[in-house]
Amino acid sequence: MKVGLFAPCYIDQFYPQAAVATLELLERLGCDVAYPRGQTCCGQPMANAGCAPAAEAAHRHVAACFEGFDYVVGPSGSCVLHLREHVEGAPDARYYELCQFLVEVLQVERLDAAFACRVGLHASCHGLRGLRLARASERQEPPFDYVAYLLDMVDGVERVPLDRPDECCGFGGMFAIEEEAVSVRMGADRLADHLRQRVEVITGTDMSCLMHLEGLIRRRNLPLRVLHVAEILNGSGEARNG
Amino acid sequence: MNDGARLAAADRSARVRHADRAARFVADAGQTDWHDAVLWRIRGKRDAAAGRVEGWERLRALASEIKEHTLSRLDEYLAAFEEAATANGAQVHWAADADAHNRIVRDVLRARGVRRVVKSKSMLTEECGLNPYLEARGFEVVDTDLGERIVQLREEPPSHLVAPAIHVRKEEIAALFHEKLGTPADADDPRLLAAAMREDLRARFLAADAAITGVNFAVASTGALVLVTNEGNADLGAHLAPAHIACMGIEKLIPKPEHLGVFLRLLARSATGQPLSVYTSYFCRPPPGRELHIVLVDNGRSRRLAQPDFRAALKCIRCGACLNTCPVYRRSGGHSYGATPSGPIGAILAPGMDMKRYASLPFASSLCGSCSDVCPVKIDIHAQLHRWRQVAAREGYVAWPKRWGMRVAGWIVRSPRRYRLAGRLARAWLRHAPRRLRYGSWNAWGRARELPRVPDRSFGEWYAAERGKK
Ligand code: SF4
């Protein structure tokens, strides 16, 4: 199975460890992974800003980068959703968010990783309601949660229930800047929930939400850390623990 | 015109800057806490009520399909409705826009020599600006829904679809009632306040010469109107007054009485978590000697019907669930949208009415999608927000720095070389620029948040170094 590693631009530039963990994890699970070196950005920021035409070249570029792969897997629900939903023409079903790929395609049942920590799971909206990585709390259907399912395979992870398990953190791309006041307030409310449950590490599928939360955590000196879920699932989170 | 009304009129012509209005609301942290908590509690009740209905998701799908079907043949259903309603003895009027609607109501009132009108909650008359229109022409219009009456006395628009005064605190209501109804200055017991209002309204109900109501559902095959309220004010108004004027948007139709079961099971549960509203009234024919007028209003609806990207918004049954669940609405308040309705549904309706005024609303969302998942008729609200953003940009309502910024970004990421260079520069700048530059006043992100700590190497650089030889 040939898997193309999709490392969204902000992960590539700011959070390379999430992409490294994704690569190592996929390799350990037996995938033949390659990282097409010419990739840049999926075009989501432009499209979400209302400037979809400015994203078209990016869409073509992504398509060219990943030609010939059976699957394209990335550690970002939001970017994957964009590539699935907002690219003109037929939707490309090869694009997968990491956790969805692990559960639906690789059907992972065991992981060899440890991470002793109280972990709060931030359910990023685009993964949750766009890719359906879990049952959203609005929906009246049997509960499931891919990310939680995977985290529970990691030794020592103590997953902590939250008061509002799937409320938006307020990142939202340009929203974080254009609606700064509301965005910050939404993020602060999420952090308060995690703090009430004495969470030590907030994790999730989308580093962008975590970047927003981390920005608040560091400014306010809160006793919390953020970690991309790939790092925990890969066991590389343990090395950076403490 | 009093000050409030003058302000409101001036306000109606200006552009709504949602972010500014929202920032003012959020600045009062206590108010935001409380507003968020109240609405979140309603969302919780909704979840519980929906969970008790077996096949809730199927019911939503069914409701959505019935509405889509009805919209696909709206012309036929409207004609059938008019015929049936006329046969029932109602008088049916057609209004192309808000102005026509207001004129029709005025003419009906004048023809009967009416001076005093009681109204029960109708978002449509709010949309058409009926109250100021009638008041300017000497009619006394009294809203009879408790929340609606509170915002009427405060001279402001409703902030929520089903709870128009949800933004007003108990103490503010006490002060308002003290001033307007003469309750004791320090009386803030909700029961006492409600009783005072009930007494005041009772006299107005008895004195009214006509009642105006909204409509929740209109049944095409029978010409009947269905109205739900929790206070019974629509019934009281319509049954006491010699004339009943029911105002409805043309999208309120459903084909047959049996479809009501689907919508009534969804509506109250979605709105408040009640299995049914306290009053569900079915108006068919006027009692002997009385008049029933039905005003069918287009006001942009047929235009929307012709827009495949946006027509689904016409399925809305005005339950308010998308407001209650919206993390932005809960923290920015209904007035931040400057539109009726407010919230997510307002943010996809308003730009279709007046893009110039409402271009900021599609951006007042993190696109979390909760609205679409909660909506009982499965309107793809968040997807429409995304599409309205494209329209706003195309029509020039996105500020040029952002438009150009996005173009430049698009140009950079077209080329891996430019992208890598831009990345290296950005990281170097974030690492080495003095803090006061990085956190200058231009940096809205950094007002309350730290910028990310940047790594030495990008992933691409790591890959080239560590895996490049493989
Ligand atoms: S859009 Fe849906 S959820 Fe929102 S008010 Fe209308 S019917 Fe209710």
Side-chain angles (χ1 to χ4, degrees):
Chain A
M1 181 191 303
K2 262 190 82 176
V3 174
L5 174 62
F6 164 47
C9 56
Y10 70 101
I11 293 217
D12 176 37
Q13 295 296 330
F14 298 152
Y15 299 100
Q17 66 278 12
V20 173
T22 304
L23 173 67
E24 290 177 354
L25 179 59
L26 289 172
E27 285 176 340
R28 284 204 291 138
L29 293 168
C31 299
D32 172 13
V33 192
Y35 171 71
R37 297 268 299 281
Q39 61 184 284
T40 61
C41 161
C42 67
Q44 177 177 215
M46 301 76 154
N48 281 9
C51 307
E56 278 164 19
H59 296 162
R60 282 193 300 273
H61 184 69
V62 173
C65 282
F66 290 110
E67 226 176 72
F69 286 100
D70 301 319
Y71 294 98
V72 179
V73 179
S76 165
S78 193
C79 302
V80 166
L81 180 70
H82 172 73
L83 289 174
R84 279 199 186 181
E85 278 197 349
H86 293 304
V87 175
E88 52 288 345
D92 193 335
R94 292 176 309 150
Y95 293 110
Y96 271 87
E97 183 281 327
L98 173 65
C99 293
Q100 194 161 26
F101 184 73
L102 296 186
V103 176
E104 286 184 0
V105 181
L106 297 186
Q107 304 187 356
V108 166
E109 283 172 357
R110 268 181 305 110
L111 284 171
D112 181 21
F115 187 66
C117 218
R118 281 177 74 80
V119 174
L121 172 54
H122 176 65
S124 289
C125 302
H126 288 175
L128 177 71
R129 300 195 186 84
L131 299 173
R132 301 287 176 206
L133 301 185
R135 184 201 68 163
S137 56
E138 300 89 16
R139 308 241 307 176
Q140 308 303 318
E141 56 191 9
F144 71 98
D145 187 336
Y146 288 173
V147 190
Y149 171 72
L150 292 168
L151 275 174
D152 290 347
M153 295 176 193
V154 178
D155 264 354
V157 163
E158 192 185 338
R159 209 161 42 74
V160 183
L162 300 167
D163 290 341
R164 297 188 188 182
D166 55 13
E167 171 121 311
C168 177
C169 69
F171 170 66
M174 285 294 283
F175 177 84
I177 293 164
E178 292 178 334
E179 290 267 357
E180 190 256 354
V182 176
S183 168
V184 164
R185 173 67 203 227
M186 286 165 69
D189 287 351
R190 285 290 71 241
L191 292 176
D193 195 352
H194 287 272
L195 285 171
R196 269 196 303 279
Q197 320 301 335
R198 290 178 294 108
V199 163
E200 294 164 306
V201 167
I202 303 179
T203 192
T205 53
D206 284 67
M207 211 57 225
S208 48
C209 305
L210 298 178
M211 170 172 79
H212 162 67
L213 293 175
E214 185 184 39
L216 283 164
I217 290 169
R218 283 176 43 221
R219 177 64 61 87
R220 297 175 183 212
N221 285 317
L222 301 175
L224 282 166
R225 289 187 302 130
V226 303
L227 216 47
H228 192 278
V229 72
E231 296 177 75
I232 297 180
L233 300 181
N234 184 46
S236 40
E238 190 63 22
R240 308 208 302 132
N241 203 3
Chain B
M1 233 198 269
N2 61 28
D3 279 357
R6 205 173 303 118
L7 271 175
D11 192 59
R12 259 195 292 281
S13 58
R15 286 187 192 197
V16 173
R17 294 179 205 279
H18 181 274
D20 296 350
R21 291 171 177 236
R24 281 200 293 278
F25 191 87
V26 169
D28 184 341
Q31 162 175 272
T32 309
D33 279 341
W34 163 83
H35 194 259
D36 169 68
V38 169
L39 292 158
W40 183 254
R41 218 162 26 240
I42 303 177
R43 156 78 210 267
K45 286 188 190 158
R46 173 265 174 210
D47 290 351
R52 282 192 289 271
V53 175
E54 210 187 304
W56 176 263
E57 298 302 329
R58 281 207 311 280
L59 200 60
R60 286 175 70 221
L62 187 58
S64 167
E65 284 163 18
I66 294 170
K67 279 283 182 183
E68 261 159 35
H69 163 81
T70 315
L71 290 171
S72 74
R73 301 185 178 192
L74 193 56
D75 52 341
E76 294 168 31
Y77 283 119
L78 281 168
F81 174 79
E82 179 181 33
E83 195 180 319
T86 311
N88 292 339
Q91 300 179 44
V92 177
H93 310 262
W94 298 86
D97 53 24
D99 211 47
H101 162 264
N102 294 346
R103 267 185 282 117
I104 289 167
V105 173
R106 177 201 64 190
D107 290 346
V108 170
L109 296 177
R110 279 205 182 140
R112 296 195 50 96
V114 169
R115 282 251 317 105
R116 282 181 295 250
V117 188
V118 283
K119 232 183 78 192
S120 81
K121 193 162 66 191
S122 156
M123 283 299 146
L124 177 73
T125 58
E126 201 51 62
E127 170 188 321
C128 294
L130 181 68
N131 280 18
Y133 179 91
L134 290 180
E135 280 158 8
R137 284 157 187 79
F139 297 96
E140 179 194 294
V141 189
V142 176
D143 279 306
T144 58
D145 168 272
L146 175 60
E148 199 77 19
R149 182 67 176 149
I150 290 171
V151 294
Q152 186 183 31
L153 291 174
R154 286 166 61 93
E155 301 185 27
E156 62 186 12
S159 73
H160 186 286
L161 266 173
V162 296
I166 195 78
H167 60 290
V168 190
R169 276 183 265 212
K170 199 172 70 176
E171 307 78 60
E172 295 174 288
I173 296 176
L176 180 75
F177 282 21
H178 171 62
E179 183 198 331
K180 306 278 183 179
L181 306 179
T183 52
D186 51 356
D188 65 353
D189 172 30
R191 249 177 321 199
L192 184 147
L193 294 175
M197 178 57 88
R198 186 187 293 247
E199 203 161 311
D200 181 79
L201 284 177
R202 190 59 55 134
R204 296 176 192 271
F205 272 121
L206 290 168
D209 317 304
I212 297 175
T213 70
V215 170
N216 289 97
F217 305 100
V219 185
S221 66
T222 65
L225 308 174
V226 177
L227 248 147
V228 305
T229 68
N230 271 333
E231 297 168 24
N233 51 321
D235 305 79
L236 199 54
H239 290 308
L240 279 173
H244 173 192
I245 307 172
C247 304
M248 57 178 271
I250 52 175
E251 83 284 14
K252 294 283 173 201
L253 286 185
I254 56 172
K256 295 183 184 160
E258 58 253 45
H259 298 139
L260 271 175
V262 174
F263 291 100
L264 291 175
R265 291 184 82 196
L266 288 165
L267 176 56
R269 288 186 173 91
S270 297
T272 55
Q274 295 165 282
L276 264 184
S277 304
V278 179
Y279 298 87
T280 301
S281 313
Y282 198 84
F283 293 89
C284 208
R285 48 183 62 85
R290 310 259 188 99
E291 288 177 15
L292 171 61
H293 295 266
I294 302 171
V295 190
L296 292 162
V297 185
D298 184 330
N299 203 31
R301 288 164 175 77
S302 51
R303 196 170 359 112
R304 186 176 295 264
L305 199 56
Q307 300 174 310
D309 278 356
F310 302 115
R311 72 185 296 182
L314 292 172
K315 295 191 288 183
C316 177
I317 59 172
R318 302 290 192 265
C319 72
C322 58
L323 283 66
N324 302 336
T325 203
C326 178
V328 178
Y329 173 89
R330 273 187 268 114
R331 291 174 183 81
S332 70
H335 289 157
S336 63
Y337 296 80
T340 303
S342 58
I345 180 64
I348 61 171
L349 287 176
M353 308 286 280
D354 184 350
M355 178 56 99
K356 182 165 175 230
R357 176 163 163 74
Y358 295 115
S360 77
L361 296 193
F363 296 92
S365 163
S366 58
L367 300 181
C368 79
S370 182
C371 45
S372 305
D373 271 359
V374 87
C375 176
V377 288
K378 298 189 75 159
I379 301 174
D380 54 345
I381 305 173
H382 73 291
Q384 292 201 28
L385 287 168
H386 195 273
R387 293 196 284 268
W388 274 119
R389 291 181 181 187
Q390 313 306 324
V391 178
R394 234 184 358 254
E395 295 183 356
Y397 292 108
V398 165
W400 69 265
K402 180 162 141 193
R403 256 193 350 259
W404 280 97
M406 290 302 158
R407 271 202 207 171
V408 172
W411 175 77
I412 290 174
V413 304
R414 235 159 55 193
S415 135
R417 252 193 33 227
R418 281 198 292 267
Y419 162 79
R420 281 187 212 124
L421 178 65
R424 263 204 307 281
L425 289 174
R427 274 182 287 126
W429 189 81
L430 281 170
R431 180 180 298 253
H432 301 298
R435 188 172 171 92
R436 73 187 149 70
L437 274 188
R438 279 181 292 134
Y439 290 89
S441 60
W442 60 274
N443 181 353
W445 174 278
R447 234 172 270 158
R449 287 164 291 209
E450 290 296 297
L451 293 160
R453 277 199 195 103
V454 291
D456 294 334
R457 294 192 290 193
S458 71
F459 176 71
E461 289 159 6
W462 175 88
Y463 192 88
E466 307 291 326
R467 301 293 188 89
K469 289 135 261 162
K470 275 215 304 201

